[in-house]
Amino acid sequence: MTNYTCEQIQEEINILKRTFPIVRLVNPVECRVMELASNEKQFSWHTAEICYHSWDYAYQCINCISARAIQSGEPQSKYEVQDDKPFYIISRPVNIEGKTLALEIVQPIEHPVLPQAPSSCKISTAVHQNNQSLLRDNDTPAYNRHYLSEHLPNIMIEAAKTGKTDAAFIRLRNLGDVISTAGSVAASGLIRELYDLLLESFRTAENTPLLVRYDENTFFMYENVLDSDIFEERLRQLSDKAASRHILFQNTRLSFTLETASVRIGEERISSGDALLNLLKERISG
């Protein structure tokens, strides 16, 4: 990660803008563009627009390379599409007088170079599919652990605003037994059955909860619409529902048993993603 003074980063941005149409500093935790203002060499920070609105998203980009750049300490890149026009984005982490941000460089692609995408519609589809596939679980449509690590800081900020949010771990207790007796393919089928059960139990007409495959046998769930009492009641009912669920693998009936843990983020005043995950681990292990 490169260190800058405010004056140095402003000078670098001005140089980059001679070549690239969009150069900006992004705080991916708050999902905001940050701007520097100077008055007689006295610099101050101003919070500007929401960064993901550039790509017409309602929430933080699924493939948030600025969050990944800061976490990894290395430059990251991706494609995005806006009004069927493809863009190439590079993001690298910078430290500006103790403030860690991502420096994003955005370049429109005038002559598309994406493979097997001769039309704007196909380009748009290819870009969105690629951004999704990087952060999806291999066995289910849930997100993977990388998605959670990159998005949890912003999730916690949004949770603090509403104060009406819940999170849970749902663990498949007998997955190890299934793997040892029936193999990994059967285990994948059981994990998919659990994913479907979670959607059936918690999805509403207004909202679909965030589901993340946290580890081999555990899902992380985040919900910000249901009343907390209703959320916890549905969580308690999962074990009973699971008792009647199974998959048939090579003429063998495979069922599953669950254990769960939940946290009322707002009520329990959980201030960070690490604190939330640690508390869930304690409760599901205890």
Side-chain angles (χ1 to χ4, degrees):
M1 185 182 304
T2 309
N3 296 314
Y4 293 90
T5 65
C6 290
E7 190 171 5
Q8 287 170 338
I9 194 67
Q10 193 170 61
E11 181 180 353
E12 176 148 343
I13 289 173
N14 290 336
I15 292 172
L16 289 170
K17 282 184 174 179
R18 297 174 189 172
T19 305
F20 303 101
I22 301 174
V23 182
R24 61 187 190 174
L25 291 166
V26 171
N27 178 348
V29 174
E30 298 181 1
C31 291
R32 289 281 186 170
V33 175
M34 303 299 295
E35 294 179 345
L36 267 175
S38 62
N39 183 11
E40 297 180 355
K41 293 195 175 182
Q42 294 294 315
F43 291 91
S44 59
W45 289 101
H46 296 277
T47 302
E49 69 271 17
I50 295 173
C51 55
Y52 53 76
H53 283 177
S54 300
W55 315 116
D56 296 330
Y57 293 141
Y59 304 98
Q60 182 180 10
C61 300
I62 289 174
N63 187 12
C64 181
I65 59 171
S66 288
R68 192 174 308 132
I70 289 176
Q71 286 195 4
S72 67
E74 300 290 339
Q76 305 290 329
S77 62
K78 68 173 178 176
Y79 291 103
E80 282 290 358
V81 173
Q82 208 274 335
D83 293 333
D84 291 328
K85 183 179 180 66
F87 291 80
Y88 184 66
I89 305 101
I90 298 174
S91 179
R92 66 181 177 89
V94 293
N95 185 291
I96 307 161
E97 298 184 4
K99 192 178 187 69
T100 302
L101 297 172
L103 178 63
E104 286 190 356
I105 300 170
V106 182
Q107 175 63 42
I109 302 173
E110 302 300 337
H111 300 284
V113 294
L114 293 178
Q116 301 177 342
S119 71
S120 61
C121 180
K122 289 183 178 180
I123 290 171
S124 178
T125 300
V127 167
H128 289 305
Q129 287 178 346
N130 181 68
N131 286 338
Q132 289 266 349
S133 65
L134 291 171
L135 296 155
R136 291 288 186 182
D137 176 44
N138 291 330
D139 296 322
T140 73
Y143 291 107
N144 60 31
R145 184 91 168 252
H146 296 296
Y147 176 94
L148 186 62
S149 65
E150 292 164 11
H151 290 72
L152 190 54
N154 182 252
I155 287 173
M156 297 303 295
I157 285 179
E158 295 302 314
K161 292 178 183 177
T162 64
K164 182 186 175 184
T165 50
D166 298 276
F169 270 172
I170 302 94
R171 178 173 292 166
L172 185 54
R173 295 176 58 186
N174 61 322
L175 187 66
D177 295 335
V178 172
I179 293 174
S180 63
T181 58
S184 58
V185 174
S188 295
L190 210 55
I191 282 290
R192 179 55 194 255
E193 184 72 11
L194 174 56
Y195 171 85
D196 291 342
L197 175 61
L198 293 175
L199 275 190
E200 292 171 17
S201 301
F202 289 91
R203 184 165 52 189
T204 66
E206 298 80 22
N207 185 58
T208 298
L210 171 66
L211 286 171
V212 176
R213 181 88 174 271
Y214 186 76
D215 59 26
E216 185 180 49
N217 64 342
T218 306
F219 283 98
F220 168 88
M221 179 163 53
Y222 172 80
E223 222 292 331
N224 62 355
V225 172
L226 287 175
D227 179 81
S228 293
D229 290 336
I230 295 175
F231 177 82
E232 291 181 354
E233 178 59 28
R234 292 187 182 185
L235 203 60
R236 284 190 290 270
Q237 292 172 358
L238 274 179
S239 294
D240 292 336
K241 290 183 177 180
S244 62
R245 303 285 285 251
H246 69 278
I247 65 169
L248 196 63
F249 183 76
Q250 295 181 347
N251 297 321
T252 301
R253 177 174 169 149
L254 300 175
S255 57
F256 49 82
T257 54
L258 303 179
E259 57 184 343
T260 64
S262 64
V263 171
R264 297 188 180 194
I265 299 174
E267 289 185 23
E268 299 188 57
R269 298 183 179 180
I270 309 300
S271 59
S272 71
D274 286 342
L276 171 63
L277 295 176
N278 288 335
L279 186 56
L280 284 171
K281 291 174 187 176
E282 289 175 9
R283 290 181 177 177
I284 203 164
S285 300

